[in-house]
Amino acid sequence: MGYENRKSKIASLFPKEPDFRLKQIETAMFQKEVKCWDDISTLPALMREILNKEVPFSSLKVENIYANGAGDTFKAIAQVASGEEIETVLMKNPRGHFTICVSSQIGCAMRCGFCATGKMGLTRNLEAEEIVDQYRIWQTYLAGRPELPQLISNIVYMGMGEPMANYENVKLSLQSIFRNTDIGETHVTVSTVGVLPRLEMLLNDPDWPHVRMAISLHSADREIRKEIVPTSYDDFLPKLADWSKRYLKRFGNRRHHLTFEYVMLRGVNDSPNDARLLANFSNSIGDIRVNLIPYNFTDCGFQSSTKESIIEFHEVLEKHGVTTTVRKTQGEDIAAACGQLIKMES
Ligand code: SAH
C-alpha cells in the first residue's frame, strides 16, 4: 500500500548512521520547539537536507481545528497521505491538563448501532506514526496557544476505529509515546468493543504496555448487546468475564483497574433491571469500574436516556457496590463527542 513506516524509511536513508542518530531524530520530533527537520540543529546539514526531501515531517496535514463554545474542547480534522480525513480531539480534564482522544483507523468495521463512525465502514488501519502524529498535532497546537495549559497528561484511544482490530500499530504507537513523552502507562486508556482474540493476545504479549483497558459493554444482557453491538455473539459475555478475571489477575492493582463503558440509550439498556444485570455481571468478575456515557446525538435512531434514569441507574450500581462514574460530555457542539467522529458536512 506504500504507507512506509517513518522510522524504517529514515533508517534506510542513512544506513551508515549509528543508532543514536535515529534515536536523536525521534526524540527531537517530540519537542515542542521543533516544527520541521531544519529545527533539529544538532543534525548535520546534509542529513536535514535529505530528510526535507524524502520524509514528510508529519504524516498528517491539519485541515481545520474547531473549538467548542466553552473553549475546553478542540477537534482537528487532518488529512493522511492517501487523502482521507481523520479526527482527533483535545479536551481539558478535571485536573486542568489536557486529554487527547486519538483515532486508530480510518472508519470502523464494527458498525455499533449508535456510533457515527460505524456508518462509514472501514477504509484502512492507521499506521503507528499516523496515530502518534495526532499527539504531535496537539503539542504543536498548544505551543501556539501559550495562554492554554500546556500539559497533555492523558491519552484515550477512543476516536475513530477499533484499536484492537489494529493491534500491532496501536502497540507500536503506545511504545513510541512511552519512549518519547512523560505520559505514564496508567494515563492511557485503550477502549475496545471487545475483540476477544486480540484481548487474549495482549495478556500473553510481553511487549504490550500496561495501559488501562476499557471495554465497550453497553449491555450485560446477551440479546440486547447483540442488538446494539452487531459484532457480539451468544457466548460473548461469559467469555469476556473469563478474560476479565485473568486480565485483573495479571494487571490489576490499586491504580490499574478494568472499565466497562456503557452508553445510556433510552428504553434500550437503561432500566433499573439493566443496571442490576450489569452490577451482577461486574461483581462476578471483581474490581470493575463502570463508566456511564450519555448518548451523544448521531443520526442513528436512538435517544439519550433521561437525566433521572441515568441517576437511578447510577444509584442501583453503587448500591450493588460497583464504582461508577458518569462521563461528562464535552464538545458536542463541534461533533467531537464520543461516537460523533465522522466527517462533518460543510
Ligand atoms: N471502537 C472502540 C472506541 C470507540 S469510541 C470501542 O468500541 O470502544 C469510545 C466510546 O464511545 C465507546 O464506548 C463507544 O461505544 C462510545 N460511543 C460510540 N458512539 C457513541 C454515541 N453516539 N454516544 C456516546 N458514546 C458513544
Side-chain angles (χ1 to χ4, degrees):
M1 285 217 291
Y3 308 109
E4 216 161 341
N5 184 289
R6 182 163 52 211
K7 234 175 138 185
S8 51
K9 170 139 192 196
I10 294 175
S12 72
L13 284 173
F14 309 106
K16 295 208 181 76
E17 287 291 336
D19 277 357
F20 86 86
R21 271 280 184 239
L22 304 178
K23 180 81 195 91
Q24 189 183 16
I25 294 173
E26 191 185 16
T27 307
M29 290 179 75
F30 283 83
Q31 280 159 7
K32 274 189 176 168
E33 54 284 4
V34 173
K35 297 201 179 66
C36 61
W37 297 120
D38 279 326
D39 287 344
I40 313 181
S41 52
T42 47
L43 289 183
L46 181 64
M47 256 184 115
R48 281 184 265 157
E49 204 177 299
I50 295 172
L51 285 169
N52 271 332
K53 246 201 301 224
E54 302 289 338
V55 190
F57 188 64
S58 175
S59 60
L60 303 174
K61 202 171 96 214
V62 177
E63 298 197 315
N64 251 314
I65 293 186
Y66 302 92
N68 70 342
D72 61 5
T73 304
F74 306 85
K75 171 166 99 165
I77 298 193
Q79 195 181 43
V80 297
S82 49
E84 297 91 351
E85 286 166 334
I86 58 158
E87 302 185 358
T88 174
V89 178
L90 174 78
M91 55 208 154
K92 266 229 191 97
N93 61 38
R95 290 163 304 288
H97 305 310
F98 280 109
T99 296
I100 64 168
C101 175
V102 297
S103 296
S104 56
Q105 297 182 309
I106 303 175
C108 186
M110 301 297 140
R111 299 187 185 277
C112 298
F114 46 83
C115 178
T117 308
K119 301 275 169 294
M120 298 170 66
L122 176 68
T123 301
R124 69 166 169 88
N125 284 337
L126 288 180
E127 294 289 314
E129 68 216 42
E130 292 168 327
I131 301 173
V132 167
D133 285 349
Q134 296 172 55
Y135 171 88
R136 293 174 64 227
I137 284 178
W138 291 121
Q139 215 185 13
T140 308
Y141 179 72
L142 287 175
R145 297 282 312 265
E147 76 283 11
L148 293 175
Q150 292 293 302
L151 185 67
I152 297 170
S153 61
N154 294 64
I155 303 183
V156 294
Y157 282 63
M158 296 186 186
M160 301 165 82
E162 168 47 50
M164 286 294 107
N166 186 14
Y167 184 91
E168 284 304 324
N169 289 318
V170 164
K171 183 166 91 176
L172 286 169
S173 71
L174 290 167
Q175 289 167 339
S176 173
I177 297 277
F178 296 132
R179 257 197 320 273
N180 296 294
T181 76
D182 291 332
I183 296 174
E185 289 179 331
T186 51
H187 286 223
V188 175
T189 302
V190 173
S191 174
T192 173
V193 72
V195 183
L196 285 170
R198 300 296 168 86
L199 290 174
E200 207 54 64
M201 200 152 118
L202 79 80
L203 274 188
N204 301 307
D205 181 348
D207 299 325
W208 177 260
H210 296 191
V211 294
R212 286 186 175 165
M213 296 300 296
I215 311 290
S216 294
L217 186 67
H218 307 319
S219 177
D221 175 276
R222 181 179 76 186
E223 295 306 319
I224 298 175
R225 190 171 198 274
K226 271 165 63 184
E227 206 179 296
I228 54 184
V229 179
T231 51
S232 204
Y233 38 87
D234 280 351
D235 55 354
F236 175 81
L237 292 169
K239 283 194 162 144
L240 175 69
D242 173 60
W243 175 84
S244 302
K245 283 181 204 156
R246 286 180 290 122
Y247 177 87
L248 286 172
K249 214 182 232 168
R250 169 120 165 67
F251 292 113
N253 61 44
R254 205 171 47 79
R255 285 177 50 78
H256 193 143
H257 41 256
L258 184 62
T259 298
F260 287 161
E261 292 162 285
Y262 199 102
V263 178
M264 298 290 293
L265 303 169
R266 187 186 304 187
V268 176
N269 64 354
D270 66 346
S271 72
N273 193 45
D274 291 311
R276 275 187 291 277
L277 270 179
L278 174 60
N280 292 339
F281 183 66
S282 304
N283 286 335
S284 75
I285 294 166
D287 187 14
I288 297 291
R289 305 291 162 100
V290 168
N291 188 214
L292 300 177
I293 314 177
Y295 168 67
N296 298 309
F297 180 78
T298 62
D299 216 354
C300 302
F302 288 101
Q303 280 180 307
S304 172
S305 303
T306 61
K307 232 189 191 137
E308 294 71 38
S309 50
I310 296 180
I311 292 170
E312 192 179 359
F313 200 94
H314 189 175
E315 279 170 3
V316 173
L317 288 169
E318 292 279 346
K319 216 166 59 208
H320 284 76
V322 181
T323 309
T324 306
T325 48
V326 181
R327 187 173 299 175
K328 184 171 155 256
T329 289
Q330 274 169 244
E332 218 172 347
D333 52 344
I334 51 169
C338 289
Q340 293 183 314
L341 297 183
I342 187 172
K343 194 177 166 217
M344 289 191 298
E345 304 299 332
S346 46

